[in-house]
Amino acid sequence: QVQLVESGGGLVRTGASLRLSCAASGGTFTDYVMGWFRQAPGKEREFVGQVDRSGDDTWYPSSVEGRCTISRDNAKKLVFLQMDNLNTADTAVYYCAASKRGFYTGPRNPRDFFSWGQGTQVTVSS
């Protein structure tokens, strides 16, 4: 079983950038498609994007495409979410998650992911 721990959240101003990290331990990291989700107060968990097992392919929903970049370092068992030009609508708790299911280009359901981190808070102020 893989354990995930996110870091890098914080309070930033509109227009700023943040890079979130997710460290994995246990399991075989390259077996997993890695995803990022976020959840704002009173809202459902929202898919932010994913990266395939090798790190060569990613997919993002239109809500964040062009502002978010996901990458991974398989040697260090890390996955990253780079977010640029942040706005107040990006305020949420951000979670990384691991999936044993295959990568495909399209939005992912949280039920596809079997392991989750505890989340890291991102707050964007105007």
CSV table of all heavy atoms in Angstrom, one decimal, residues 6 12 52 70 73-74 89 105 114 120:
chain,number,residue,atom,x,y,z
A,6,GLU,N,1.2,15.3,1.0
A,6,GLU,CA,1.3,16.5,0.3
A,6,GLU,C,2.0,17.6,1.1
A,6,GLU,O,2.0,17.6,2.3
A,6,GLU,CB,0.0,17.1,-0.2
A,6,GLU,CG,-0.9,16.1,-1.0
A,6,GLU,CD,-1.8,15.3,-0.1
A,6,GLU,OE1,-1.5,15.1,1.1
A,6,GLU,OE2,-2.8,14.8,-0.7
A,12,VAL,N,-1.4,32.8,-0.7
A,12,VAL,CA,-0.8,33.6,-1.8
A,12,VAL,C,-1.8,34.6,-2.3
A,12,VAL,O,-3.0,34.5,-2.1
A,12,VAL,CB,-0.3,32.7,-2.9
A,12,VAL,CG1,0.8,31.8,-2.4
A,12,VAL,CG2,-1.4,32.0,-3.6
A,52,ASP,N,0.7,10.0,-16.2
A,52,ASP,CA,0.8,8.6,-16.3
A,52,ASP,C,2.0,8.0,-15.6
A,52,ASP,O,2.7,8.7,-14.9
A,52,ASP,CB,0.8,8.2,-17.8
A,52,ASP,CG,2.2,8.5,-18.5
A,52,ASP,OD1,3.0,9.2,-17.9
A,52,ASP,OD2,2.3,8.1,-19.7
A,70,ILE,N,1.5,19.1,-14.2
A,70,ILE,CA,1.8,17.9,-13.3
A,70,ILE,C,3.0,17.2,-13.8
A,70,ILE,O,3.1,17.0,-15.0
A,70,ILE,CB,0.6,17.0,-13.1
A,70,ILE,CG1,-0.6,17.7,-12.5
A,70,ILE,CG2,1.0,15.8,-12.3
A,70,ILE,CD1,-1.9,16.9,-12.5
A,73,ASP,N,8.8,12.6,-10.4
A,73,ASP,CA,10.1,12.1,-10.4
A,73,ASP,C,10.1,10.7,-9.8
A,73,ASP,O,10.0,10.5,-8.6
A,73,ASP,CB,11.0,13.0,-9.5
A,73,ASP,CG,12.4,12.6,-9.4
A,73,ASP,OD1,12.8,11.4,-9.6
A,73,ASP,OD2,13.2,13.5,-9.1
A,74,ASN,N,10.1,9.7,-10.6
A,74,ASN,CA,9.9,8.3,-10.2
A,74,ASN,C,11.1,7.8,-9.3
A,74,ASN,O,10.9,7.0,-8.4
A,74,ASN,CB,9.7,7.4,-11.4
A,74,ASN,CG,8.4,7.5,-12.0
A,74,ASN,OD1,7.4,8.0,-11.3
A,74,ASN,ND2,8.2,7.1,-13.2
A,89,ALA,N,-10.7,31.5,-7.0
A,89,ALA,CA,-11.5,30.2,-7.2
A,89,ALA,C,-10.6,29.0,-7.1
A,89,ALA,O,-11.1,27.9,-7.0
A,89,ALA,CB,-12.1,30.3,-8.6
A,105,THR,N,-7.0,9.8,-21.4
A,105,THR,CA,-7.2,11.3,-21.5
A,105,THR,C,-8.7,11.6,-21.3
A,105,THR,O,-9.5,11.3,-22.1
A,105,THR,CB,-6.8,11.8,-22.9
A,105,THR,OG1,-7.5,11.0,-23.9
A,105,THR,CG2,-5.3,11.6,-23.1
A,114,PHE,N,-7.1,4.8,-5.2
A,114,PHE,CA,-7.3,4.0,-4.0
A,114,PHE,C,-6.5,4.5,-2.8
A,114,PHE,O,-6.7,4.1,-1.6
A,114,PHE,CB,-6.8,2.5,-4.3
A,114,PHE,CG,-5.3,2.4,-4.4
A,114,PHE,CD1,-4.5,2.0,-3.3
A,114,PHE,CD2,-4.6,2.7,-5.5
A,114,PHE,CE1,-3.2,1.9,-3.4
A,114,PHE,CE2,-3.3,2.6,-5.6
A,114,PHE,CZ,-2.5,2.2,-4.5
A,120,THR,N,-3.3,19.5,1.4
A,120,THR,CA,-2.6,20.7,1.7
A,120,THR,C,-3.5,21.9,1.3
A,120,THR,O,-4.0,21.9,0.2
A,120,THR,CB,-1.2,20.7,1.1
A,120,THR,OG1,-0.5,21.9,1.6
A,120,THR,CG2,-1.3,20.8,-0.4
